Amino acid sequence: MSSVAVLTQESFAEHRSGLAQQQVKVTALNSEEENDPPTYKEAFPPLPEKAPCLEAAQEPAGPWSKIRPIKASVITQVFHVPLEERKYKDMNQFGEGEQAKICLDIMQKTGAHLELSLAKDQGLSIMVSGKLEAVMKARKEIVARLQTQASATVAIPKEHHRFVIGKNGEKLQDLELKTATKIQIPRPDDPSNQIKITGTKEGIEKARHEILLISAEQDKRAVERLDVEKVYHPFIAGPYNKLVSELMQDTGTRINIPPPSVNKTEIVFTGEKEQLAQAVARVKKIYEEKKKKTTTIAVEVKKSQHKYVIGPKGNSLQEILEKTGVSVEIPPTDSSSETVILRGEPEKLGQALTEVYAKANSFTVSSVSAPSWLHRFIIGKKGQNLAKITQQMPKVHIEFTEGEDKITLEGPTEDVNVAQEQIEVMVKDLINRMDYVEINVDHKFHRHLIGKNGANINRIKDLYKVSVRIPPDNEKSNLIRIEGDPQGVQQAKKELLELASRMENERTKDLIIEQKFHRTIIGQKGERIREIREKFPEVIINFPDPAHKSDIVQLRGPKNEVEKCTKYMQKMVADLVENSFSISVPIFKQFHKNIIGKGGANIKKIREESNTKIDLPAENSNSETIVITGKRANCEAARHRILAIQKELANITEVEVSIPSKLHNSLIGTKGRFIRSIMEECGGVHIHFPTEGSGSDTVTIRGPAQDVEKAKKQLLHLAEEKQTKSYTVDLRAKPEYHKFLIGKGGGNIRKVRDSTGARIIFPTSEDKDQELITIMGTEEAVKEAQKELEALIKNLDNVVEDSMVVDPKHHRHFVIRRGQVLREIADEYGGVMVSFPRSGTQSDKVTLKGAKDCVEAAKKRIQEIIEDLEAQVTIECTIPQKFHRSIMGPKGSRIQQITRDYGVQIKFPDREENPAPAAEPAVQENGEEGGEGKDGKDADPSSPKKCDVIIISGRREKCEAAKEALQALVPVTIEVEVPFDLHRYIIGQKGSGIRKMMDEFEVNIQVPAPELQSDIITITGLATNLDRAKAGLLERVKELQAEQEDRALRSFKLTVTVDPKYHPKIIGRKGAVITQIRTEHEVNIQFPDKDDESQAQDQITITGYEKNAEAARDAIMKIVGELEQMVSEDVTLDHRVHARIIGARGKAIRKIMDEFKVDIRFPQSGAPDPNCVTVTGLPENVEEAIDHILNLEEEYLADVVDNEAMQVYMKPSSHEESKAPSKGFVVRDAPWATVNNEKAPDMSSSEDFPSFGAQVAPKTLPWGPKR
């Protein structure tokens, strides 16, 4: 790669006025690393001041002189289409039908505005307004689509076709827009010369005229080619092309001479025939003349000097041609020939030869020896040093080549000599002043040496006034070069090597963590990663860029800290993985509210107890899937509990069907359409197929028993069909027809299905193609069903308009609530449009527009509604106001259900906030009784309270049925006797027990206050629920009484007397022995508290079932019996061998204890006798163990004595030396060294130690203890 300061001839002028920034191209690295930082103005040069506009300067100064005529951006044109040329003549009504649609389409396409009107002669006038381009496009569209088209052909010579098309087809497009026609030109490979024009008669005439004009113009022009030897071309062109330019100007002919680089001899003339002939004659004359008069001489000129003869852009050759009339022919650059040929009149050749030699020798090439690392200092900042030389000698070209220790100079001989002297002086001076050094540092540490945003390296550069060249990452080079003042270079080298050695003690570790967990580990606003960094301050944690989709997290720092941090993060990830298991549970939508519970109690409890995250679908979504996330076992437990709630609430059964796995995909269908249709048809059962690739054939069906059975039959039948002969056909119908085709409650489609046996699948709202209907089954059945459906769809496409009479008094019922009733009719009957007359007009005519069958069905439905309205009555139902809320149900759901079921309207009275004054209370009481007791003996029927009366409107029989349904919703209260001492267990912790029963049985249970000591619990709710609730409550009472009895049996106590010295052995290591006894016998064992002196210290209490307690006592006594047989013996062992006998982490001593079945205790540090070891166990085992450890002592002691003898001849260990107080981390000539004290630097100070990686906590050594 070369770092070049190139000074060409073209830039001489600019060099005189100062070197521009672009003219010295030095690699980016070099320019960064100058000794002095650039000034702000140098780094960010200001923009030049805005030059005053020349035009403005030339204009008169009057205030109105700048006004330009403004063209209107919107234009209006009127087009006429005569009657005989109109496409759409026979229309019933103007402004309707196809013509109107076309106009709308044109307006949308072009953005122009169209207005149509009919003239008296039935011709069509179209006013088009908009931007010029839009109007022209609209005009073309109008002619093509609203006017009858004619066509004509015009023949012009094939070579003129390209002039009609124009550059990039622009002329043709323009012509088509102008004439509002379509012009078809034959392809170049088609021999035909006929151009076809399509459009109106007027447009065709215009286009034909224009095309013939273009052709006529081209006919006048001619082209001629003249073959002239290449060597004579310079004489025809003349010096600087002057001769050919004059010729072109005189004759008005275009003359094209091929350039010297193109090896063509043909000169091409283009122009008017007469003038062209004149130009050709003149060129021929010059050619002939030169051919006769000229002669040639060949001379040898060094190849390196050819470029000086040619000159910049061939200027020198042109100069010689102008002065002497001689053409100089230079061999091409890729040729090795040095022969230059001069061609001209004999008397002029001598002069030309002199000129050639003068040009060749006017320039010289020289070189100066200079180390390559000094080149950038010679060039100077932004080329300043070099600019001084090039300004004095602008014709000198100076070239620096990267990696070469020389500078090449090229230019006029005198100038080159002067420039060479100046550069040699500069080089000598720089060699005396500057030094460089190269150091080896592993490239992986380079970016840490540079620091964040270059902080470290910039500090070193500024401090030591040096330039540091670090190779780019992609070179993977370890060589760092420091250049500058010799002293600064040495100091910078020392500091960089120290930093590098410090980094080599570091450890880098890559952790593989799935990218999906990165955000969780980092935490919101980086909180969690901050905690980790605080915990491991010496470790740098780098997460990959999210865009790179990498799983590698890099940790860097001291080895031990990196290991600890790795373990911590791996544990964190393991927890995340464990807690991110997800499971989906399909639950019938109607049971979601029961799973949530009152105020979210149920779902909250399941979440807390199973420690999972449970997401339910939104109330308005069609999804039935509940998603559970957490640990696998917890998710399974939560799923089990949710399914149990569903099972309790409904008669939900689950069956498994075996269907070959190869048929599963075809049964599920595209995006699950097929299986969804079966699920919907069978009352919304859930059908679960095994995961693909599992190889399982088991399909699970869950739902109400009856529906499950139905789905099972259908699945098996379909599977059989698929195996024998499956056939599928797709039909298309407008989405608005689908509801009508399906029919109310699926009635219509069921008829087709039953009669043919084929399955018909309609698209769901999620499907992209809303028109696609799929028919599946046997070929015969599918074809029959297809025939029936096609007939239905055909009828639906037959749009008719009909009307019917509806009494104006009923109109309001159809149009209220933004026409909800009409919307429902349109949805159900294939999008029929029903138009009622405007309010205020007394018309009773209602118009229906749509498919014939749909219109008939809609008329029938409207008639039914009117009959209902005619037969409508209003009745009153008296229910005390206090029950109204419970009758309505949550969010009015119960009342909405009755309204739907019975087709009635129910209006509740306004609430009465304050009871009536004075004499009213008695009436109110009676009124309440009258409402509750149906006979109402004491109450006068005419005096129910206004706030208790509910009004029901609809057909009489339906109103009566709705009234009965409402009265059935009035809550009833019953009393149940439950022993007072069980009340708190029925209520449960924080009321959870009683809440569960209330939710389960949909009743209100009232437990008396504790101070009343009453056994009576009241249950209020619907009569249908009360019996279930009472039975449930009594069942719970039975369970609690059984628990009480069991509790009494479990509380049997037994006391065992055991000497306290055996207690630790009975408890065992970390309670292992006693835990095993407790678990095995299902008892609780209590040891006396050592600190409580009032307790008998030898009493152990066992609580549980009597039989279990006795078994546990026997187990304890057995251990005591074994312990009593044991003996303890002290043995003297030299303390120097204790560590060897114990072994690493007690491994050796544990092995001895297990082998001899004894317990061995060593003295604690500071014990009176450090050599006394106690061995406990059965007598024979103790003896054997003591013998064994004494043998070991003898063996190990010999080694100890040998080692001590050796130590006498060895120098003290470095560990002992290092006990001298440490001075800390001290360096020479540091910034703080100006103060004369020996105090170690504060390594946590960001001033003394600017940020380098993670901040280091102030410890005795920065990289942990010395190994």
Side-chain angles (χ1 to χ4, degrees):
M1 186 179 121
S2 60
S3 169
V4 185
V6 184
L7 306 175
T8 58
Q9 296 273 9
E10 295 88 77
S11 55
F12 287 168
E14 289 169 301
H15 276 295
R16 288 191 190 97
S17 58
L19 194 70
Q21 190 179 346
Q22 290 98 329
Q23 285 156 340
V24 178
K25 295 183 182 173
V26 183
T27 55
L29 199 71
N30 295 357
S31 60
E32 265 181 30
E33 297 157 359
E34 293 310 321
N35 292 339
D36 303 318
T39 65
Y40 182 82
K41 274 195 177 177
E42 284 168 344
F44 303 102
L47 293 169
E49 290 295 316
K50 189 178 176 185
C53 181
L54 290 171
E55 282 179 29
Q58 290 163 6
E59 282 181 5
W64 304 101
S65 62
K66 290 179 188 174
I67 291 177
R68 301 266 191 280
I70 295 170
K71 286 185 182 176
S73 61
V74 175
I75 63 158
T76 303
Q77 285 192 16
V78 179
F79 306 119
H80 297 282
V81 180
L83 175 64
E84 61 274 11
E85 286 184 20
R86 272 178 59 195
K87 237 187 204 179
Y88 304 97
K89 298 176 199 171
D90 45 350
M91 291 191 309
N92 306 335
Q93 207 173 339
F94 181 68
E96 283 188 10
E98 200 61 33
Q99 186 170 282
K101 282 182 190 171
I102 288 169
C103 289
L104 277 172
D105 188 42
I106 294 170
M107 281 159 74
Q108 279 176 344
K109 262 191 193 174
T110 62
H113 180 69
L114 271 65
E115 282 182 29
L116 275 74
S117 58
L118 274 177
K120 285 181 183 176
D121 61 356
Q122 291 300 298
L124 193 62
S125 289
I126 304 161
M127 186 167 81
V128 185
S129 52
K131 290 190 175 172
L132 177 64
E133 193 185 343
V135 169
M136 295 312 279
K137 280 184 185 171
R139 176 189 171 192
K140 188 180 167 189
E141 289 274 337
I142 289 164
V143 168
R145 294 169 69 178
L146 294 181
Q147 215 165 343
T148 52
Q149 303 287 294
S151 71
T153 57
V154 58
I156 64 167
K158 187 83 178 166
E159 60 268 22
H160 295 174
H161 286 194
R162 63 194 182 92
F163 299 105
V164 177
I165 296 167
K167 192 179 180 182
N168 297 333
E170 282 171 11
K171 196 158 190 180
L172 181 65
Q173 282 177 6
D174 198 35
L175 190 58
E176 284 185 332
L177 274 177
K178 230 195 276 179
T179 60
T181 57
K182 176 86 182 102
I183 301 168
Q184 286 171 291
I185 294 175
R187 293 176 61 80
D189 50 11
D190 186 344
S192 167
N193 63 358
Q194 299 282 337
I195 295 177
K196 189 180 176 187
I197 311 165
T198 313
T200 59
K201 285 177 186 172
E202 184 191 346
I204 289 169
E205 284 305 314
K206 270 190 192 174
R208 196 165 176 279
H209 174 69
E210 288 285 339
I211 290 167
L212 289 171
L213 263 181
I214 293 166
S215 182
E217 202 176 297
Q218 293 308 316
D219 272 339
K220 290 178 191 171
R221 295 178 75 77
V223 176
E224 193 165 324
R225 297 167 197 277
L226 183 64
D227 211 38
V228 174
E229 284 176 62
K230 187 86 180 165
V231 292
Y232 294 106
H233 286 192
F235 299 114
I236 292 162
Y240 303 106
N241 286 334
K242 280 179 187 169
L243 198 57
V244 79
S245 302
E246 276 174 33
L247 195 55
M248 278 157 68
Q249 214 168 347
D250 292 352
T251 60
T253 307
R254 191 155 166 264
I255 303 169
N256 185 15
I257 299 173
S261 56
V262 177
N263 197 17
K264 276 188 182 175
T265 56
E266 238 177 28
I267 298 176
V268 182
F269 300 80
T270 316
E272 301 287 334
K273 284 179 183 172
E274 293 163 21
Q275 293 166 325
L276 185 134
Q278 200 182 333
V280 172
R282 281 176 68 178
V283 168
K284 272 184 183 172
K285 188 183 171 191
I286 295 168
Y287 173 41
E288 295 300 335
E289 200 178 289
K290 290 292 174 191
K291 215 172 176 183
K292 278 179 197 170
K293 287 185 180 179
T294 59
T295 179
T296 61
I297 59 164
V299 292
E300 296 294 315
V301 176
K302 279 184 190 172
K303 189 79 181 170
S304 60
Q305 292 178 321
H306 285 194
K307 59 183 175 184
Y308 307 129
V309 177
I310 296 167
K313 293 184 181 173
N315 277 351
S316 298
L317 292 180
Q318 298 294 335
E319 204 180 304
I320 295 169
L321 183 62
E322 191 174 35
K323 273 188 188 175
T324 64
V326 174
S327 162
V328 180
E329 293 160 25
I330 306 279
T333 48
D334 53 1
S335 156
S336 58
S337 168
E338 293 191 337
T339 307
V340 174
I341 295 169
L342 284 77
R343 187 182 301 274
E345 292 170 19
E347 64 272 17
K348 301 280 179 73
L349 286 174
Q351 189 190 344
L353 186 60
T354 312
E355 287 284 334
V356 167
Y357 279 127
K359 298 279 182 203
N361 296 318
S362 64
F363 278 72
T364 184
V365 177
S366 174
S367 68
V368 176
S369 180
S372 61
W373 66 274
L374 282 178
H375 288 187
R376 25 190 229 93
F377 299 107
I378 295 165
I379 293 166
K381 191 192 293 179
K382 294 187 184 172
Q384 280 174 355
N385 298 348
L386 210 58
K388 289 171 191 169
I389 299 170
T390 52
Q391 278 168 12
Q392 291 169 19
M393 287 146 293
K395 290 184 181 176
V396 176
H397 172 83
I398 303 169
E399 192 172 316
F400 296 83
T401 310
E402 182 95 351
E404 283 189 23
D405 292 343
K406 66 172 185 176
I407 302 164
T408 310
L409 291 88
E410 199 177 288
T413 315
E414 285 178 19
D415 289 1
V416 165
N417 292 338
V418 176
Q420 187 174 345
E421 276 176 32
Q422 289 188 12
I423 288 173
E424 279 170 350
V425 169
M426 280 170 80
V427 169
K428 200 172 178 184
D429 175 50
L430 285 168
I431 287 171
N432 293 335
R433 280 194 303 113
M434 308 291 275
D435 191 10
Y436 80 93
V437 73
E438 288 179 341
I439 58 171
N440 257 311
V441 175
D442 195 329
H443 69 267
K444 68 183 176 199
F445 298 137
H446 288 186
R447 63 195 186 93
H448 305 300
L449 289 178
I450 293 166
K452 195 172 184 181
N453 298 330
N456 284 338
I457 209 73
N458 288 340
R459 179 181 63 77
I460 291 169
K461 282 180 185 177
D462 296 343
L463 188 63
Y464 304 118
K465 302 282 184 287
V466 292
S467 158
V468 183
R469 301 181 69 186
I470 296 176
D473 282 351
N474 56 1
E475 282 183 23
K476 304 276 188 232
S477 167
N478 295 345
L479 213 62
I480 293 177
R481 189 181 174 98
I482 309 164
E483 298 166 355
D485 173 60
Q487 194 183 349
V489 165
Q490 290 307 318
Q491 286 174 322
K493 174 187 172 182
K494 186 182 173 188
E495 183 160 345
L496 281 172
L497 287 172
E498 276 176 8
L499 287 173
S501 69
R502 198 184 305 176
M503 271 183 287
E504 277 168 8
N505 293 331
E506 285 195 346
R507 169 87 187 276
T508 300
K509 188 161 186 176
D510 287 346
L511 256 184
I512 307 291
I513 298 173
E514 275 188 77
Q515 199 182 26
K516 64 180 178 184
F517 297 126
H518 290 189
R519 282 183 70 181
T520 318
I521 293 169
I522 292 165
Q524 201 173 9
K525 294 181 182 172
E527 283 171 10
R528 289 182 76 172
I529 198 69
R530 210 175 295 122
E531 279 174 31
I532 300 170
R533 282 179 177 145
E534 282 166 12
K535 201 166 186 158
F536 306 100
E538 292 177 50
V539 180
I540 298 166
I541 304 168
N542 285 327
F543 283 87
D545 189 320
H548 292 165
K549 305 277 183 227
S550 170
D551 293 343
I552 296 171
V553 176
Q554 198 178 64
L555 310 182
R556 189 169 59 81
K559 187 178 174 183
N560 290 354
E561 289 297 302
V562 166
E563 286 303 325
K564 284 182 196 169
C565 185
T566 302
K567 280 179 187 170
Y568 182 81
M569 286 183 77
Q570 280 172 341
K571 186 176 180 297
M572 196 175 179
V573 171
D575 289 346
L576 285 173
V577 170
E578 199 179 347
N579 290 321
S580 64
F581 179 76
S582 182
I583 198 167
S584 297
V585 193
I587 296 290
F588 293 102
K589 196 79 177 175
Q590 65 264 37
F591 301 133
H592 282 202
K593 63 177 190 294
N594 305 86
I595 285 158
I596 295 165
K598 196 171 183 182
N602 287 2
I603 200 78
K604 192 177 176 188
K605 190 180 178 189
I606 297 170
R607 278 176 183 148
E608 284 171 4
E609 289 179 10
S610 65
N611 193 21
T612 55
K613 179 174 175 253
I614 302 172
D615 295 312
L616 284 99
E619 210 171 319
N620 54 2
S621 91
N622 294 326
S623 171
E624 294 187 332
T625 308
I626 294 174
V627 179
I628 309 167
T629 313
K631 290 185 180 174
R632 191 185 191 112
N634 295 353
C635 289
E636 292 290 352
R639 175 172 174 258
H640 183 70
R641 287 182 66 168
I642 288 171
L643 288 171
I645 293 172
Q646 178 178 257
K647 208 164 184 181
E648 272 177 42
L649 291 167
N651 176 24
I652 301 295
T653 57
E654 192 175 290
V655 296
E656 289 182 348
V657 187
S658 184
I659 293 171
S661 55
K662 63 182 179 186
L663 298 177
H664 291 186
N665 277 351
S666 59
L667 285 174
I668 292 165
T670 317
K671 292 182 183 171
R673 284 178 68 206
F674 194 24
I675 202 68
R676 206 159 43 234
S677 76
I678 298 172
M679 278 155 56
E680 282 166 14
E681 193 185 323
C682 301
V685 293
H686 291 136
I687 301 173
H688 177 70
F689 282 83
T691 50
E692 205 172 343
S694 65
S696 170
D697 292 346
T698 308
V699 178
T700 312
I701 310 170
R702 189 188 299 121
Q706 210 176 339
D707 294 338
V708 166
E709 202 50 46
K710 190 175 171 188
K712 181 182 172 182
K713 277 182 190 169
Q714 283 215 26
L715 264 183
L716 290 170
H717 174 67
L718 283 164
E720 202 177 310
E721 254 183 34
K722 289 272 176 202
Q723 272 176 311
T724 52
K725 44 189 185 299
S726 177
Y727 188 71
T728 307
V729 160
D730 287 344
L731 271 185
R732 304 190 82 79
K734 290 179 185 172
E736 57 266 29
Y737 294 162
H738 291 189
K739 267 196 175 175
F740 183 73
L741 290 171
I742 294 164
K744 199 166 186 179
N748 295 356
I749 213 69
R750 205 175 291 116
K751 278 180 201 166
V752 178
R753 216 174 263 170
D754 294 346
S755 66
T756 63
R759 168 164 294 281
I760 299 153
I761 301 163
F762 284 85
T764 60
S765 54
E766 285 88 31
D767 288 340
K768 274 187 185 172
D769 193 342
Q770 288 291 307
E771 291 189 356
L772 194 73
I773 301 168
T774 309
I775 311 170
M776 300 175 97
T778 61
E779 189 172 352
E780 192 185 333
V782 166
K783 284 187 174 171
E784 204 177 320
Q786 183 185 2
K787 199 174 166 187
E788 285 193 32
L789 277 176
E790 279 175 344
L792 277 169
I793 293 163
K794 197 175 180 184
N795 284 347
L796 292 174
D797 284 335
N798 177 20
V799 176
V800 296
E801 198 172 302
D802 203 349
S803 63
M804 63 185 291
V805 173
V806 176
D807 194 323
K809 69 180 179 185
H810 298 313
H811 288 193
R812 188 170 177 276
H813 173 79
F814 289 95
V815 295
I816 55 169
R817 296 198 300 281
R818 295 184 185 172
Q820 192 179 338
V821 177
L822 291 181
R823 271 206 308 277
E824 284 169 8
I825 291 170
D827 280 353
E828 206 167 319
Y829 301 104
V832 169
M833 284 172 65
V834 184
S835 306
F836 275 76
R838 288 182 181 278
S839 58
T841 58
Q842 286 306 303
S843 169
D844 57 3
K845 185 184 175 188
V846 174
T847 312
L848 295 93
K849 191 174 182 183
K852 192 175 180 184
D853 294 355
C854 297
V855 167
E856 287 305 319
K859 273 173 80 175
K860 197 175 172 189
R861 176 74 187 117
I862 292 170
Q863 211 58 54
E864 280 173 17
I865 294 170
I866 291 165
E867 279 173 26
D868 281 354
L869 291 171
E870 294 283 359
Q872 195 170 40
V873 296
T874 301
I875 65 166
E876 291 181 354
C877 173
T878 307
I879 293 171
Q881 190 182 22
K882 64 180 179 180
F883 299 129
H884 287 190
R885 186 176 283 177
S886 68
I887 288 168
M888 285 180 186
K891 294 183 182 173
S893 58
R894 288 179 182 161
I895 221 70
Q896 284 165 10
Q897 190 63 42
I898 293 173
T899 308
R900 275 198 298 274
D901 291 351
Y902 299 102
V904 294
Q905 286 185 324
I906 300 171
K907 187 175 185 304
F908 277 79
D910 293 332
R911 287 181 70 81
E912 190 178 72
E913 294 299 328
N914 303 312
E920 285 283 321
V923 178
Q924 184 188 0
E925 228 173 85
N926 292 345
E928 275 188 31
E929 281 174 23
E932 280 183 57
K934 288 180 187 172
D935 304 326
K937 289 173 188 171
D938 305 331
D940 179 356
S942 62
S943 65
K945 284 192 68 186
K946 198 173 180 184
C947 63
D948 296 342
V949 176
I950 298 166
I951 294 163
I952 307 168
S953 310
R955 293 179 87 99
R956 178 165 291 280
E957 65 276 15
K958 297 220 173 146
C959 286
E960 290 298 338
K963 183 178 179 181
E964 278 177 31
L966 276 177
Q967 284 170 339
L969 290 174
V970 174
V972 184
T973 303
I974 59 165
E975 292 180 348
V976 182
E977 197 169 327
V978 175
F980 174 73
D981 59 335
L982 297 180
H983 286 194
R984 64 198 182 96
Y985 300 114
I986 285 166
I987 292 167
Q989 199 174 9
K990 293 182 182 174
S992 61
I994 201 157
R995 208 161 38 242
K996 186 184 172 193
M997 288 172 75
M998 281 156 65
D999 288 344
E1000 193 177 331
F1001 303 117
E1002 293 182 10
V1003 293
N1004 182 30
I1005 302 173
Q1006 200 73 37
V1007 178
E1011 56 270 18
L1012 296 177
Q1013 300 277 314
S1014 167
D1015 291 346
I1016 304 297
I1017 289 179
T1018 56
I1019 305 173
T1020 309
L1022 302 181
T1024 51
N1025 295 342
L1026 286 180
D1027 291 340
R1028 275 173 61 238
K1030 184 178 178 180
L1033 183 59
L1034 292 173
E1035 187 63 39
R1036 180 76 182 123
V1037 169
K1038 269 187 196 171
E1039 281 173 24
L1040 290 170
Q1041 284 169 341
E1043 276 177 28
Q1044 268 184 338
E1045 287 168 21
D1046 187 54
R1047 213 176 292 122
L1049 289 171
R1050 262 206 324 268
S1051 57
F1052 176 77
K1053 271 189 182 178
L1054 198 72
T1055 310
V1056 189
T1057 305
V1058 175
D1059 192 326
K1061 70 178 178 183
Y1062 298 135
H1063 289 192
K1065 291 288 181 189
I1066 294 166
I1067 291 165
R1069 190 182 173 86
K1070 293 185 181 174
V1073 178
I1074 203 69
T1075 303
Q1076 194 181 344
I1077 296 170
R1078 279 178 181 144
T1079 313
E1080 205 174 303
H1081 301 288
E1082 294 178 351
V1083 291
N1084 181 25
I1085 302 170
Q1086 201 71 38
F1087 283 82
D1089 188 349
K1090 286 181 186 175
D1091 303 328
D1092 190 353
E1093 290 176 9
S1094 62
Q1095 271 187 338
Q1097 291 296 306
D1098 59 356
Q1099 298 291 314
I1100 297 173
T1101 310
I1102 306 169
T1103 313
Y1105 291 117
E1106 188 175 352
K1107 190 170 71 175
N1108 292 3
E1110 285 170 355
R1113 177 194 61 193
D1114 294 344
I1116 289 170
M1117 292 317 289
K1118 186 183 174 190
I1119 294 168
V1120 170
E1122 284 173 7
L1123 291 170
E1124 281 174 343
Q1125 287 175 21
M1126 287 186 184
V1127 293
S1128 282
E1129 271 191 45
D1130 289 345
V1131 61
T1132 302
L1133 274 185
D1134 193 307
H1135 66 275
R1136 289 173 295 177
V1137 298
H1138 287 193
R1140 288 282 298 274
I1141 290 168
I1142 291 166
R1145 296 186 182 172
K1147 208 172 182 182
I1149 199 69
R1150 255 198 315 278
K1151 191 178 175 188
I1152 296 168
M1153 293 198 306
D1154 291 344
E1155 191 181 329
F1156 296 102
K1157 294 184 175 57
V1158 292
D1159 182 48
I1160 302 172
R1161 298 275 168 207
F1162 284 84
Q1164 290 182 340
S1165 58
D1169 183 0
N1171 300 330
C1172 182
V1173 176
T1174 307
V1175 185
T1176 309
L1178 294 171
E1180 62 274 18
N1181 293 353
V1182 169
E1183 289 299 325
E1184 284 176 23
I1186 288 172
D1187 284 349
H1188 181 71
I1189 58 175
L1190 286 171
N1191 289 341
L1192 288 174
E1193 178 198 26
E1194 198 176 316
E1195 188 186 320
Y1196 297 155
L1197 209 50
D1199 293 347
V1200 170
V1201 171
D1202 289 350
N1203 282 342
E1204 283 176 354
M1206 290 294 289
Q1207 289 297 321
V1208 177
Y1209 303 104
M1210 292 174 77
K1211 69 171 187 177
S1213 69
S1214 61
H1215 183 68
E1216 285 170 13
E1217 283 177 7
S1218 68
K1219 285 184 181 172
S1222 168
K1223 283 188 179 183
F1225 177 65
V1226 181
V1227 291
R1228 212 158 43 77
D1229 300 335
W1232 57 81
T1234 50
V1235 182
N1236 296 324
N1237 62 8
E1238 285 294 304
K1239 190 183 167 194
D1242 175 9
M1243 285 177 291
S1244 63
S1245 159
S1246 60
E1247 207 173 310
D1248 293 348
F1249 286 86
S1251 75
F1252 177 69
Q1255 188 185 350
V1256 181
K1259 292 183 182 174
T1260 53
L1261 283 169
W1263 305 109
K1266 193 171 177 184
R1267 293 272 177 270

